[in-house]
């Protein structure tokens, strides 16, 4: 019993030291989420619907909104704010032609360790497995085979198709982690993988301009 207590205390001490160490390894220059402005992000304005009855070009007319606060309803299962120091910001675009909506959520977890842990906790495959067919019944279609974009600045990123196939997917998800920062890009309505890939590229490129990536550190568990 005594040896067990010693082992438990030793493990707790290691955990505390690791948390302190990871807190030190934050970005030297912490960004102000309120200063981020994605309004002039040039989202794609047209894509070709190959699966429509009559193959046609879909024209998009995006309306930007950085004050939308209804994400908590849709993302209620996700615990973004795990600590009092966690900061969150949401952005969205609404297409007036197709009623599609693109949601972007940026979270500052204050340290890379918390961001790494929450990246796994917020995995859409677990959080939304009851809402999207592929996450339970058709896992082979979750990962688009034609996806080209590789994010060299992110510590980790993932792209997922929630329902359908990459040419006709409803519920695209892209998540990425940059040190202590987490970003989620989500599209509600059906679209092909190419147009969502273009959306992700322009949004992440714009977001990364606010990061001083020279001070990005990776914490290895």
């Amino acid at each position: 019993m005594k040896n067990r207590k010693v082992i438990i205390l030793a493990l707790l001490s290691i955990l505390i030291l690791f948390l302190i160490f990871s807190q030190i390894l934050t970005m030297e220059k912490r960004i102000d989420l309120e200063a981020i402005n994605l309004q002039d992000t040039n989202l794609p304005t047209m894509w070709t619907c190959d699966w429509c009855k009559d193959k046609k070009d879909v024209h998009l007319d995006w309306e930007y909104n950085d004050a939308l606060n209804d994400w908590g309803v849709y993302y209620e299962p996700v615990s973004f704010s795990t600590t009092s120091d966690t900061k969150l910001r949401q952005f969205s675009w609404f297409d007036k032609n197709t009623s599609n909506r693109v949601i972007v959520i940026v979270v500052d977890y204050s340290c890379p360790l918390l961001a790494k842990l929450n990246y796994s906790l917020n995995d859409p495959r677990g959080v939304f497995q009851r809402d999207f067919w592929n996450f339970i019944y058709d896992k082979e279609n979750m990962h688009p085979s034609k996806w080209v974009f590789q994010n060299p600045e992110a510590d980790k990123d993932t792209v997922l198709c929630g329902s359908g196939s990459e040419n006709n997917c409803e519920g695209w998800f892209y998540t990425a982690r940059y040190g202590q920062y987490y970003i989620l890009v989500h599209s509600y309505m059906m679209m092909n993988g190419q147009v969502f890939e273009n959306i992700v590229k322009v949004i992440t490129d714009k977001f990364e301009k606010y990061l001083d990536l020279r001070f990005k550190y990776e914490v290895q568990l």
Side-chain angles (χ1 to χ4, degrees):
M1 181 65 69
K2 184 177 180 180
N3 290 336
R4 182 180 297 178
K5 290 182 178 179
V6 172
I7 293 173
I8 292 174
L9 288 174
L11 292 174
L12 287 174
S13 300
I14 293 173
L15 178 60
I16 292 172
L17 289 173
F18 187 71
L19 289 171
I20 294 173
F21 179 70
S22 66
Q23 182 67 34
I24 295 172
L25 291 181
T26 58
M27 288 188 178
E28 185 172 320
K29 184 179 179 181
R30 189 173 186 180
I31 64 174
D32 180 9
L33 297 190
E34 295 302 319
I36 298 177
N37 185 352
L38 302 182
Q39 184 168 6
D40 59 348
T41 304
N42 296 317
L43 298 189
T45 57
M46 187 184 74
W47 64 283
T48 302
C49 180
D50 295 322
W51 43 267
C52 292
K53 184 176 181 180
D54 297 319
K55 185 176 178 179
K56 63 178 182 179
D57 292 334
V58 180
H59 295 271
L60 308 172
D61 185 10
W62 297 106
E63 183 177 71
Y64 174 77
N65 189 342
D66 64 357
L68 191 65
N69 294 315
D70 65 352
W71 65 269
V73 177
Y74 191 75
Y75 291 98
E76 186 175 2
V78 184
S79 178
F80 286 111
S81 301
T82 55
T83 69
S84 58
D85 199 28
T86 299
K87 302 182 185 304
L88 181 145
R89 182 86 188 278
Q90 177 185 323
F91 311 86
S92 72
W93 291 262
F94 177 78
D95 175 37
K96 292 180 281 187
N97 293 337
T98 66
S99 298
N100 192 6
R101 176 176 287 171
V102 172
I103 296 288
V104 175
I105 295 177
V106 178
V107 188
D108 177 358
Y109 283 108
S110 77
C111 78
L113 175 62
L114 288 176
K116 194 163 191 174
L117 292 176
N118 281 276
Y119 187 89
S120 299
L121 293 174
N122 295 335
D123 191 329
R125 287 169 289 190
V127 176
F128 301 114
Q129 64 176 231
R130 295 183 179 180
D131 301 309
F132 293 93
W133 181 267
N134 291 350
F135 294 164
I136 297 180
Y137 302 107
D138 197 0
K139 296 183 179 181
E140 291 183 0
N141 274 325
M142 283 194 303
H143 306 285
S145 61
K146 299 177 183 177
W147 187 272
V148 178
F149 175 62
Q150 300 292 326
N151 192 335
E153 305 296 351
D155 296 321
K156 186 176 179 61
D157 68 336
T158 306
V159 59
L160 300 167
C161 169
S163 298
S165 65
E166 60 186 306
N167 293 323
N168 179 12
C169 178
E170 181 178 9
W172 282 104
F173 295 86
Y174 174 83
T175 59
R177 181 174 61 82
Y178 303 80
Q180 70 200 54
Y181 297 97
Y182 169 93
I183 185 170
L184 165 71
V185 183
H186 172 50
S187 170
Y188 282 71
M189 305 291 286
M190 287 187 177
M191 64 170 57
N192 65 27
Q194 184 177 9
V195 69
F196 184 68
E197 182 174 353
N198 290 335
I199 288 173
V200 168
K201 284 194 291 186
V202 295
I203 289 176
T204 54
D205 181 67
K206 184 71 174 178
F207 169 67
E208 287 165 6
K209 288 180 172 24
Y210 288 90
L211 298 178
D212 190 344
L213 294 169
R214 293 173 302 165
F215 301 110
K216 179 167 66 68
Y217 296 98
E218 172 74 13
V219 175
Q220 300 293 338
L221 289 177

